[in-house]
Amino acid sequence: MTLMAMFLEPETYKAGAALRSVTDWRHYNHGYTSNILNTPDIDPEAFDISSPINHAEGLQGHLLMLHGLLDDNVVAQDIIRLSQRLIELEKENWELALHPIEPHGYKEPSSWLDQLRRIHKLFEEQLLVE
């Protein structure tokens, strides 16, 4: 939701943190996704409209993305593909933090702490008014 909000309503959101995000519904759990969007061959437009990677050009605010490399639910390749898209769009106001030993539901306290510190720093730097 953070990605879609930041990409589709850029004037509304100055900063956002996206955790373990699906960036392209074509690559997510078929059983879950097909109940909502059908399948890409039946309804490609639904997948295009609802996949954040297709709206990345809208990014204006500061975006922090966090993802575990061992995620077996939302595979890390998804966020890496979005990162490449942001590079291609020459966006400069984003950051990706990968946590090498984490699955979808983070387990290590050090990873949780790192994630929360990064989010706090982002919001402190971008949202606090002096």
Side-chain angles (χ1 to χ4, degrees):
M1 290 188 358
T2 298
L3 296 175
M4 290 298 271
M6 301 266 319
F7 296 168
L8 296 178
E9 294 291 330
E11 64 285 342
T12 304
Y13 300 97
K14 189 173 179 182
L19 289 63
R20 308 159 195 75
S21 303
V22 173
T23 66
D24 187 339
W25 289 102
R26 284 174 175 83
H27 302 141
Y28 191 62
N29 179 304
H30 174 73
Y32 174 85
T33 308
S34 64
N35 287 333
I36 300 166
L37 299 173
N38 291 313
T39 60
D41 58 317
I42 293 173
D43 196 354
E45 186 178 1
F47 282 80
D48 290 339
I49 291 169
S50 62
S51 294
I53 197 166
N54 297 321
H55 306 286
E57 69 279 350
L59 180 63
Q60 291 178 22
H62 295 267
L63 175 62
L64 170 63
M65 301 177 293
L66 302 119
H67 210 103
L69 284 178
L70 300 181
D71 195 326
D72 59 351
N73 183 16
V74 180
V75 295
Q77 187 63 31
D78 229 29
I79 204 72
I80 292 166
R81 287 182 61 240
L82 176 58
S83 297
Q84 180 60 39
R85 180 75 181 125
L86 294 171
I87 291 167
E88 292 166 0
L89 291 167
E90 299 181 11
K91 300 291 183 177
E92 298 179 4
N93 49 337
W94 63 277
E95 178 183 352
L96 172 62
L98 297 172
H99 294 98
I101 63 170
E102 294 299 342
H104 190 69
Y106 281 28
K107 295 181 178 184
E108 292 297 319
S110 58
S111 297
W112 277 104
L113 181 59
D114 179 72
Q115 175 181 257
L116 294 173
R117 282 182 174 160
R118 288 173 188 270
I119 294 169
H120 182 263
K121 180 181 176 191
L122 170 73
F123 290 164
E124 193 172 61
E125 290 176 353
Q126 300 303 321
L127 301 180
L128 286 181
V129 179
E130 297 202 21

